[in-house]
Amino acid sequence: MATETSAQVLPYDEMARRHRIETLLTRAIIYALLLIGAAIILIPFLWMVSTSLKVERQLFEWPPRWIPDPVAFENYWKAWEQLGSIAPGLTFWRIISNTLFITVLAMFAEMFSAAVVAYGFARFRFKGRDVLFFIMLSTMMIPGVLTRVPSFLIWREVGLLNTYDPLTLPAWTAWGPAYVFLLRQFFLTIPREMDEAAIIDGANPVQVFFYVMLPLVKPAFLAIGVLAFQGNWNNFEGPLIYLNTTQLFPLILSIQFFQQSLSKEAPKWHYMMAMATMMAAPILLLFFMAQRYFIEGLNVGAVKG
Amino acid sequence: MGDPGAFNSYYPTFLRYIGTAIVLALLIYLTYQGLRKLGVKREAATGFALITPWLVGRILLTAFPILLSFYLGFTEYNILWDEPRSLKDPLFNYKRALSFKIVEFDKDERVSIAKLGQLQAEGPDIVRYRELDSVVIGDTRYVIAATDIYLWRAIWLTLRYAVLSIPLGMAGALGVALLLNQNVKGVGYWRTLYYLPAVLPAAAVALLWFWLFAPNRGLINWALGPIYDLTNSEPLGWFTDKNLVLPSFVIMSMWGIFGANTVILLAGLKNIPPDLYEAASIDGAGNWVKFRHVTIPMLSPTLFYVLIMGVIGALQLFTEQAFIPTEREDGWFVNWFLYNEAFNFGRMGYASAVGWLYAVFIIAITLLVFRSSAAWVFYEGAREKEAGGA
């Protein structure tokens, strides 16, 4: 494996030629390997989309058919119609609005509270700050199995089971330590003169936070927004535990409900794949629009940690 | 339960959502004022006030549940009951989870449940020992029996999954990252492509692979068709075959997680100063030496991060499992086992007890990995400090 093709002083043409061939060969191998990897990545992906557009009798055609004929776009609404027939009132639009309601509320609260807490940790010195910050980072290690049952019982005790409260309200308490950490690292890079100048100009701390600090950490703020959207959109365990009226189900739980209802009869793979594609589509769209923020959020723990 | 209607299910939550925000804002303000009254400096008061939402959240929603869970571990609690019931033997849940014994049978004797016996502890129900595994030595069959074989099976599956999927995933991701670091044209496009599966929701990945691995007419068994024909064998059952559940999950996880690790490792590779490679070249180092003595040490903090995240993720696999129905006997991971014990089998007390044991286990492993880092993770900053001190 050639790590570097450093220029060496080669006295003979023959050696230079050999070296060139060797380099060319190495490049060819690199691209070949990358292409094989790309195929492994893409084939399942294309298979998902292809299946989602098939009519039922073509699902099990042998050999597999890649391009559906006819192209059954109707799977994308028939799947939800069929789900609606077993869970009355659970229409496509209802599912989407449920999902967006949870995702947007939780995302906004998460972003905002993470920014406030990170600001507190980054810009002010107070007793016990470093210990608390260490505790905050340690909470990342607490496994979910430890809090699942008691959290369920607490929400049941206050009578808020089967509402969206357990999925959205706690987000105000900066429940993602990684987000706080990411924002704190960004706040630390802002020179102190910035907020001092604003305060001398007569701004109060709230104004400093909104008009000076937040705009300066915008990339990190958007990065955690993207991550929080993705996290809440994909959150399965929360809705599974706290919701039991089907009409309240978000997308992910509706899909699982549909799948379980099918397990006895023939699995409707075309419907399942249409649902999976729809579940993935907004996230993929977000990814292509805001790739920079995804990668920013991904790398912070590793590179800055 | 009837349909409450969309609006009726949104607005009460929305009001409480706004209410929570206002309460927390007030909390920040009052904490600040209170601390100021006590004579705390402005800076310290502001800082402490700003982190109170987090502090209150962690006390109410993390610390308190953890303690509650510890208490519940010593009780019996069906999800249908309003309150936990106390156990005659407070350690019953722990005994039920951990008891095992070895029983001797004749080589040809049938393993009978009666001979295996039952748990000697006073609890709500009779718990029998069941066969976990057996070994034949000479004329004797030694049967290893446990009171909860499903727990041990789940732990065994989860551990093997972690041990296989983490190193394979890391090696693969490192390989691709190294390839992408060779001045490849359009590296941004490649990176996007490889990252794609990691962006897909775990639920979608699970559904997709369940379909790809479908025993009859799944794409993978079709691709392997010629091999089946050649060897005259039956198509593999993948997720439905108890011996192949594990490799199926490992393959799926590699496809899914791969990309994220590749992106992280690639960023780590780009951070290695090129002059280190130049210096190594001047000293006559070959590619392998450069890889072994420059790339790996410089990349070790990134590898460490990927490893920690991999351990935490693998030991808590959950969502994928919910979309891939596997047999309880051989195909359940610990997290799914615990969820079912608590919410479907009516044993919340037992699930809390085992949850505690498992959490301690996860944290112990994570700390062990942290401790091991001193031996192989190279921090440039730390080294400089040492040199400065000497």
Side-chain angles (χ1 to χ4, degrees), chain B residues 98-345:
Chain B
L98 298 175
S99 296
F100 69 94
K101 63 179 175 185
I102 295 167
V103 184
E104 288 178 31
F105 283 84
D106 278 344
K107 201 173 73 179
D108 305 316
E109 191 184 348
R110 221 169 59 86
V111 176
S112 70
I113 291 194
K115 195 172 173 186
L116 291 178
Q118 65 188 54
L119 183 63
Q120 300 298 322
E122 272 197 79
D125 37 29
I126 293 164
V127 180
R128 293 199 167 280
Y129 280 93
R130 295 185 57 196
E131 181 182 355
L132 194 60
D133 207 347
S134 67
V135 242
V136 179
I137 302 171
D139 280 340
T140 327
R141 176 191 292 275
Y142 296 92
V143 172
I144 305 160
T147 40
D148 192 345
I149 56 166
Y150 296 119
L151 171 65
W152 293 106
R153 294 248 161 92
I155 290 176
W156 179 227
L157 179 69
T158 311
L159 281 185
R160 280 182 302 159
Y161 172 76
V163 167
L164 279 175
S165 71
I166 298 168
L168 284 175
M170 280 174 72
L174 180 61
V176 174
L178 284 171
L179 286 177
L180 290 179
N181 202 31
Q182 306 297 314
N183 293 321
V184 170
K185 281 209 180 72
V187 65
Y189 294 103
W190 288 107
R191 191 176 62 177
T192 306
L193 183 73
Y194 278 98
Y195 188 38
L196 207 60
V199 185
L200 282 186
V205 172
L207 283 173
L208 172 57
W209 281 85
F210 193 36
W211 168 219
L212 287 168
F213 273 136
N216 55 343
R217 311 278 156 123
L219 189 65
I220 288 177
N221 269 356
W222 173 77
L224 295 176
I227 299 175
Y228 297 141
D229 289 344
L230 215 65
T231 56
N232 233 341
S233 54
E234 286 289 303
L236 299 173
W238 299 110
F239 282 117
T240 57
D241 181 333
K242 63 176 184 154
N243 294 319
L244 292 176
V245 167
L246 177 68
S248 308
F249 269 104
V250 170
I251 292 169
M252 180 179 81
S253 85
M254 288 194 60
W255 189 79
I257 299 166
F258 211 74
N261 289 345
T262 304
V263 172
I264 294 172
L265 290 172
L266 184 60
L269 285 172
K270 299 266 184 224
N271 271 2
I272 301 176
D275 46 320
L276 286 181
Y277 289 110
E278 276 161 34
S281 290
I282 291 165
D283 290 348
N287 287 323
W288 169 251
V289 176
K290 279 191 227 163
F291 175 73
R292 175 67 192 77
H293 294 286
V294 179
T295 311
I296 290 293
M298 292 304 288
L299 199 60
S300 58
T302 317
L303 285 168
F304 175 63
Y305 172 79
V306 170
L307 176 66
I308 288 280
M309 289 299 149
V311 170
I312 293 176
L315 294 178
Q316 300 191 63
L317 180 118
F318 186 80
T319 305
E320 290 88 339
Q321 173 110 68
F323 289 86
I324 299 175
T326 48
E327 294 294 324
R328 184 182 180 201
E329 191 82 16
D330 295 288
W332 280 19
F333 289 82
V334 178
N335 211 352
W336 186 246
F337 164 87
L338 286 172
Y339 164 76
N340 279 290
E341 285 289 326
F343 293 94
N344 291 335
F345 304 153

Side-chain angles (χ1 to χ4, degrees), chain A residues 2 34 97-98 105 156 165, chain B residues 10 13 16-17 79 182 194:
Chain A
L34 282 174
S97 68
N98 289 346
L105 255 59
R156 189 170 79 170
D165 292 43
Chain B
Y10 295 158
T13 293
R16 287 189 289 261
Y17 176 82
I79 194 166
Q182 306 297 314
Y194 278 98

Side-chain angles (χ1 to χ4, degrees), chain B residues 68-78 81 83-87 89-94 124 347-353:
Chain B
L68 186 60
S69 160
F70 187 67
Y71 162 72
L72 290 173
F74 300 100
T75 65
E76 188 201 2
Y77 200 170
N78 191 311
W81 303 344
E83 275 170 7
R85 293 181 190 165
S86 58
L87 287 162
D89 180 352
L91 289 176
F92 178 75
N93 287 332
Y94 287 91
R347 287 194 282 261
M348 290 198 293
Y350 180 60
S352 299

Side-chain angles (χ1 to χ4, degrees), chain A residues 1-4 6 27 30-31 33-35 37-38 40-45 47-48 51 59-60 62-64 66 89 94 97-98 101 104-106 108-109 116-117 119-121 123-126 132 135-136 139-156 160 162-165 168-170 172-175 230 234 236-237 240-241 244-245 247-248 252 255-256 259 269 272-273 276 279-280 283-284 287-288 291 294-295 298-299 301-303, chain B residues 1-6 9-10 13-14 16-17 20-21 24 28 43-44 46-48 50-51 53-55 57-58 60-62 64-66 68-69 72 77 79 81-82 176 178-180 182-185 188 190-201 203-204 207-212 214 216-219 222 255 260 263-264 267 271 277 281 287 290 302 305 312 316 318-319 322-323 325 335-336 338-339 342-343 348 351-352 355-356 358-359 362-363 366-367 370:
Chain A
M1 203 183 300
T3 321
E4 199 94 319
S6 53
R27 305 302 293 171
I30 288 172
Y31 282 105
L33 287 173
L34 282 174
L35 279 173
I40 295 172
I41 297 285
L42 279 177
I43 286 172
F45 196 70
W47 188 238
M48 175 170 83
T51 308
L59 281 182
F60 300 109
W62 210 251
W66 280 95
R94 182 67 185 275
S97 68
N98 289 346
F101 182 79
V104 171
L105 255 59
F108 181 76
V116 169
V117 172
Y119 183 52
F121 273 124
R123 303 304 274 193
F124 306 92
R125 274 161 302 176
F126 54 92
L132 286 172
I135 291 175
M136 193 201 69
T139 58
M140 266 197 266
M141 269 172 51
I142 297 175
V145 289
L146 211 47
T147 50
R148 187 162 52 204
V149 172
S151 302
F152 168 83
L153 293 171
I154 290 168
W155 288 104
R156 189 170 79 170
L160 290 174
N162 208 24
T163 70
Y164 295 124
D165 292 43
T168 51
L169 265 52
W172 282 119
T173 66
W175 64 5
Q230 193 191 13
N234 294 341
F236 175 68
E237 203 178 317
L240 176 70
I241 286 161
N244 53 43
T245 304
Q247 288 83 9
L248 297 181
I252 190 164
I255 295 176
Q256 201 239 4
Q259 190 200 17
W269 287 114
M272 293 316 307
M273 288 302 112
M279 167 108 206
I283 301 290
L284 287 178
F287 172 61
F288 285 119
Q291 201 190 134
F294 268 84
I295 288 170
L298 200 62
N299 280 333
V303 178
Chain B
M1 256 176 264
D3 180 5
S9 50
Y10 295 158
T13 293
F14 188 71
R16 287 189 289 261
Y17 176 82
T20 310
L24 286 172
I28 293 176
E43 185 185 353
T46 316
F48 190 78
L50 286 174
I51 66 156
W54 170 77
L55 203 59
R58 293 298 63 79
L60 289 181
L61 299 167
T62 307
F64 175 59
I66 289 175
L68 186 60
S69 160
L72 290 173
Y77 200 170
I79 194 166
W81 303 344
D82 288 334
V176 174
L178 284 171
L179 286 177
L180 290 179
Q182 306 297 314
N183 293 321
V184 170
K185 281 209 180 72
W190 288 107
R191 191 176 62 177
T192 306
L193 183 73
Y194 278 98
Y195 188 38
L196 207 60
V199 185
L200 282 186
L207 283 173
L208 172 57
W209 281 85
F210 193 36
W211 168 219
L212 287 168
N216 55 343
R217 311 278 156 123
L219 189 65
W222 173 77
W255 189 79
V263 172
I264 294 172
N271 271 2
Y277 289 110
S281 290
N287 287 323
K290 279 191 227 163
T302 317
Y305 172 79
I312 293 176
Q316 300 191 63
F318 186 80
T319 305
F323 289 86
N335 211 352
W336 186 246
L338 286 172
Y339 164 76
F343 293 94
M348 290 198 293
S352 299
W356 253 85
Y358 191 56
I362 293 179
I363 292 172
T366 317
L367 289 178
F370 264 104

